Amino acid sequence: MYEAFSSVYDDLMRDVPYDQFAALFERATEYVGSSFVRVIDLGCGTGVMIPHLLRRSRTVIGVDPSAEMLAVAAQKVGNYRQRVSFVQATAATLPSEGVQAEFCVSFCDVLNYVLTEEEFLASFRSIARALSKNGHFLFDLHTPYKILHVLGNQVHYDISDHQAALMTTSVDETRLLVAYDLTVFDKAKNGLYRRFDEHHEQRAYSLFTVLRALFEAGFRSVHLGADGSLFMHVPPVDLSLFATDTENEQKKEIQSLEQQFQLESAQRWFFFAHRENGEV
């Protein structure tokens, strides 16, 4: 995944709201009231977020499954090289040594690339193991609404002086899965165009599934957010409800949260999960 596109990835992703992600990270770190020794950037890609993370952390560990993407990220760090390290891994396969931190971020719907509930839970467990006892995990996800009503069954194109990109999408409504077929023509120095083709899939998960997986992985509370906001004016959701309530009661409480924060029609959910209870 992304092997052929590592050289053109930043051009294609220029509309991603990285400044919004950086602002949410800043707000989250202000909430817990400290800077950090180490922050994990899970799914770091070409390293766009790393300079933002270094403002609140002494070091950053960039993690990505693509060696080619990590190579591009390593070229970017420049003067920060002594403060950044890179690990090739997925969320579910974080090594038990060398990837330990107080804070982990995963932006730009990285975890939607996890296509089974089993691997989704394994990813959260792997992240929890990499965090300190009172660690924090800030991440986002495309929502079921976005998969079904925004991303699916579309044709997108982008044309510039040196590049043309065409993407078609299709949706499996039963599995909440969207498939992307992307073709890019990129102009080389000799004036000829290189063609790249890649296929990607993402899956959405219900809020119930996400919160239950966080609890089973060892997180104890979580602040929710949507479409660029974190709802930290209210206490975090106490995930112990998954230990004490019946499944029907759990689902009713989650449905109440969806209504309270208008999450059902949101396109991107944010989660700020805490190993401890999250109160400060």
Side-chain angles (χ1 to χ4, degrees):
M1 186 179 293
Y2 290 115
E3 283 77 5
F5 285 97
S6 58
S7 61
V8 298
Y9 178 84
D10 287 340
D11 285 340
L12 297 176
M13 301 293 283
R14 60 183 177 273
D15 293 330
V16 170
Y18 291 114
D19 288 343
Q20 179 188 95
F21 297 154
L24 289 173
F25 173 68
E26 186 76 14
R27 186 178 179 203
T29 55
E30 288 175 354
Y31 177 84
V32 297
S34 64
S35 295
F36 300 93
V37 176
R38 289 176 299 275
V39 170
I40 298 169
D41 185 2
L42 180 63
C44 68
T46 61
V48 175
M49 285 298 300
I50 288 175
H52 299 287
L53 303 179
L54 286 171
R55 295 174 187 169
R56 299 286 290 185
S57 177
R58 191 180 306 167
T59 59
V60 170
I61 305 168
V63 178
D64 201 275
S66 168
E68 289 78 7
M69 297 288 271
L70 290 175
V72 175
Q75 292 173 1
K76 286 184 178 181
V77 295
N79 295 334
Y80 300 120
R81 189 68 188 91
Q82 300 302 316
R83 299 172 59 193
V84 182
S85 59
F86 295 101
V87 175
Q88 185 178 359
T90 66
T93 61
L94 289 173
S96 57
E97 296 183 4
V99 185
Q100 299 292 314
E102 304 101 303
F103 206 110
C104 178
V105 302
S106 186
F107 290 123
C108 206
D109 42 271
V110 165
L111 290 167
N112 287 109
Y113 285 97
V114 178
L115 301 182
T116 68
E117 289 191 19
E118 293 77 14
E119 188 181 355
F120 197 64
L121 175 56
S123 297
F124 283 171
R125 284 177 169 160
S126 178
I127 293 161
R129 285 193 299 269
L131 289 171
S132 58
K133 182 179 178 181
N134 61 344
H136 309 276
F137 178 32
L138 176 63
F139 65 100
D140 73 297
L141 287 169
H142 283 326
T143 65
Y145 177 88
K146 187 171 185 178
I147 294 289
L148 293 175
H149 302 292
V150 179
L151 293 177
N153 304 316
Q154 301 287 323
V155 177
H156 304 272
Y157 64 89
D158 184 90
I159 299 174
S160 67
D161 291 339
H162 66 281
Q163 193 177 85
L166 175 68
M167 182 174 70
T168 60
T169 65
S170 58
V171 166
D172 181 334
E173 295 185 4
T174 303
R175 296 178 60 201
L176 294 177
L177 186 144
V178 60
Y180 308 88
D181 287 291
L182 181 63
T183 297
V184 176
F185 295 91
D186 187 56
K187 191 174 184 179
K189 291 181 180 179
N190 61 8
L192 299 178
Y193 284 82
R194 300 174 298 164
R195 173 174 172 165
F196 303 110
D197 295 281
E198 283 204 10
H199 176 83
H200 299 273
E201 294 180 340
Q202 288 187 313
R203 179 181 174 182
Y205 293 91
S206 69
L207 186 62
F208 176 85
T209 298
V210 178
L211 297 186
R212 182 177 60 184
L214 284 171
F215 172 74
E216 292 181 1
F219 292 93
R220 290 297 166 255
S221 66
V222 60
H223 285 90
L224 302 178
D227 294 337
S229 297
L230 274 174
F231 307 133
M232 291 193 291
H233 60 287
V234 295
V237 178
D238 183 354
L239 295 177
S240 66
L241 69 94
F242 290 101
T244 59
D245 296 353
T246 67
E247 184 168 325
N248 282 338
E249 290 172 332
Q250 294 164 10
K251 289 183 176 179
K252 286 181 180 179
E253 290 191 53
I254 302 306
Q255 186 176 39
S256 176
L257 289 171
E258 289 178 325
Q259 295 171 350
Q260 178 184 355
F261 297 114
Q262 299 181 324
L263 299 178
E264 292 175 320
S265 59
Q267 295 191 32
R268 189 185 297 270
W269 288 334
F270 290 92
F271 301 86
F272 184 29
H274 315 282
R275 293 292 309 277
E276 300 295 341
N277 69 11
E279 297 280 11
V280 295

